């Protein structure tokens, strides 16, 4: 979608679009919508041509879908297919964009900061670098529930001091929900300590420990690719993961994308920022409803809509138009 096309659409004043990250993928995603709207397949063809892979086949068959280097371009393409469909159906452009981890790249494509072709190349490389940064089985991630953020950070610090390797708070997803990542043995140690302190700990089925110090070597290599990629400031502000703020220049934007590989995803602060800006409605632009469900917990978010099926996108289109006063 061109910048001019976006500029012609009245931006919704109380709505933000959220783009999910890795873990939201599912076999057969968007199959129903693709039968009704040819633009879905067209977007997948455009992205597939850029990376030399049949991304639609991967999405529908599931073959190789959970390999990080495939997951990331497939998920990004899924989100952009939905974004384009939303606009084609007359949906309002939002006031803000934000994406969780990988989803930040989807948000940047939606805001015309990155082309789809460049973005799928970047995230495929990102996935490859992440996969090779830590040997299979040596890294792990886990969700820690029911403890204060500061307590989780302290447990990570103590485990890192006592063991070989490191473990960090990777994703601040919501109050009382922090994902940790790092050396497998140290992740296990923090999980045990969390349970002993009346928290809950759930191991996550991932092959890569994202957003932790172990990803610094990958970030250094990825920065080179970012420097060679054409990037502009988005025409709709994108709230970035590492600082819960919108970049004011391209250098800052690139720096935040590099740091995102090894620093925490500040999703709790991102959602608080959106609330502080008067956002009352959010649309999750990708498969599933993980981010929509997190948003529903927040006091100032009146409605949160997933849009990955025809009925869901129709409901969201109408509800946002009514909420923004465009139709009675």
């Amino acid at each position: 979608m061109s910048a001019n096309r976006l500029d012609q659409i009245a931006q919704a004043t109380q709505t933000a679009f959220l783009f999910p990250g890795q873990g939201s993928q599912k076999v057969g995603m968007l199959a129903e919508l693709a039968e009704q709207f040819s633009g879905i397949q067209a977007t997948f063809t455009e992205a597939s041509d850029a990376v030399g892979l049949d991304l639609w086949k991967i999405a529908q068959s599931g073959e190789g879908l959970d390999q990080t280097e495939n997951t990331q371009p497939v998920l990004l393409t899924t989100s952009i297919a939905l974004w384009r469909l939303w606009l084609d159906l007359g949906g309002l452009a939002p006031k803000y964009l934000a994406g969780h981890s990988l989803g930040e790249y989807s948000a940047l494509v939606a805001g015309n900061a990155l082309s789809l072709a460049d973005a799928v190349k970047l995230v495929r490389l990102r996935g490859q670098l992440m996969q090779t940064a830590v040997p299979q089985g040596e890294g792990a991630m886990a969700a820690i529930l029911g403890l204060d953020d500061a307590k989780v950070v302290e447990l990570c610090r103590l485990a890192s001091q006592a063991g070989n390797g490191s473990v960090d708070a990777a994703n601040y997803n919501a109050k009382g929900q922090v994902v940790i990542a790092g050396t497998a043995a140290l992740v296990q140690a923090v999980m045990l300590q969390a349970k002993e302190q009346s928290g809950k700990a759930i191991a996550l089925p991932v092959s890569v420990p994202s957003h932790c110090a172990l990803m610094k070597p990958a970030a250094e290599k990825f920065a080179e690719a970012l420097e060679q990629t054409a990037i502009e400031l988005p025409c709709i502000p994108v709230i970035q993961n590492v600082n819960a703020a919108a970049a004011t220049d391209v250098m800052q934007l690139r720096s935040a994308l590099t740091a995102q590989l090894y620093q925490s995803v500040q999703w709790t602060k991102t959602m608080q920022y959106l609330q502080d800006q008067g956002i009352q409605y959010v649309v999750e632009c990708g498969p599933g409803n993980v981010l929509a469900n997190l948003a529903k917990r927040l006091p100032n978010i009146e409605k949160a809509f997933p849009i990955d099926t025809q009925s869901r996108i129709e409901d969201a289109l109408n509800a946002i138009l009514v909420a923004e006063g465009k139709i009675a």
Side-chain angles (χ1 to χ4, degrees), residues 1 62 286 320:
M1 189 64 61
I320 295 296

Side-chain angles (χ1 to χ4, degrees), residues 89-295:
L89 293 176
L92 297 177
K95 186 176 183 180
Y96 292 101
L97 305 168
H100 191 287
S101 186
L102 165 71
E104 187 169 317
Y105 291 84
S106 304
L108 290 168
V109 175
N112 289 319
L114 272 170
S115 71
L116 175 59
D118 284 342
V120 291
K121 291 175 187 175
L122 276 177
V123 300
R124 180 161 169 76
L125 174 63
R126 181 177 182 267
Q128 291 169 337
L129 292 173
M130 292 171 68
Q131 193 71 63
T132 56
V134 180
Q136 188 76 24
E138 292 189 13
M141 299 184 75
I144 307 298
L145 310 176
L147 297 181
D148 290 341
D149 292 354
K151 173 57 68 175
V152 177
V153 171
E154 177 68 5
L155 292 178
C156 289
R157 184 184 67 82
L158 293 173
S160 296
Q161 285 181 344
N164 294 320
S166 64
V167 57
D168 301 292
N171 303 336
Y172 295 96
N173 286 336
K175 184 177 180 180
Q177 184 183 130
V178 179
V179 172
I180 62 171
T183 307
L186 301 187
V187 170
Q188 288 290 334
V190 173
M191 291 174 67
L192 180 61
Q193 287 296 314
K195 291 175 181 177
E196 290 180 355
Q197 300 195 28
S198 300
K200 294 182 179 179
I202 303 170
L204 301 181
V206 298
S207 59
V208 173
S210 306
H211 308 294
C212 68
L214 298 182
M215 288 293 118
K216 280 191 175 181
E220 292 171 2
K221 295 177 182 178
F222 189 63
E224 298 175 7
L226 279 172
E227 283 299 321
Q228 297 170 9
T229 302
I231 302 177
E232 300 177 0
L233 283 179
C235 58
I236 300 173
V238 173
I239 311 307
Q240 295 196 274
N241 284 187
V242 297
N243 54 13
T248 56
D249 59 58
V250 172
M251 184 179 297
Q252 187 182 71
L253 192 156
R254 291 181 197 270
S255 176
L257 288 176
T258 301
Q260 191 222 57
L261 273 171
Y262 62 89
Q263 292 186 11
S264 306
V265 172
Q266 299 289 345
W267 196 250
T268 307
K269 290 182 179 179
T270 295
M271 293 305 300
Q272 185 58 54
Y273 177 87
L274 293 176
Q275 288 192 101
D276 292 345
Q277 303 308 307
I279 295 300
Q280 296 179 328
Y281 313 101
V282 300
V283 175
E284 180 165 2
C285 194
N289 56 2
V290 172
L291 299 182
N293 285 342
L294 287 175

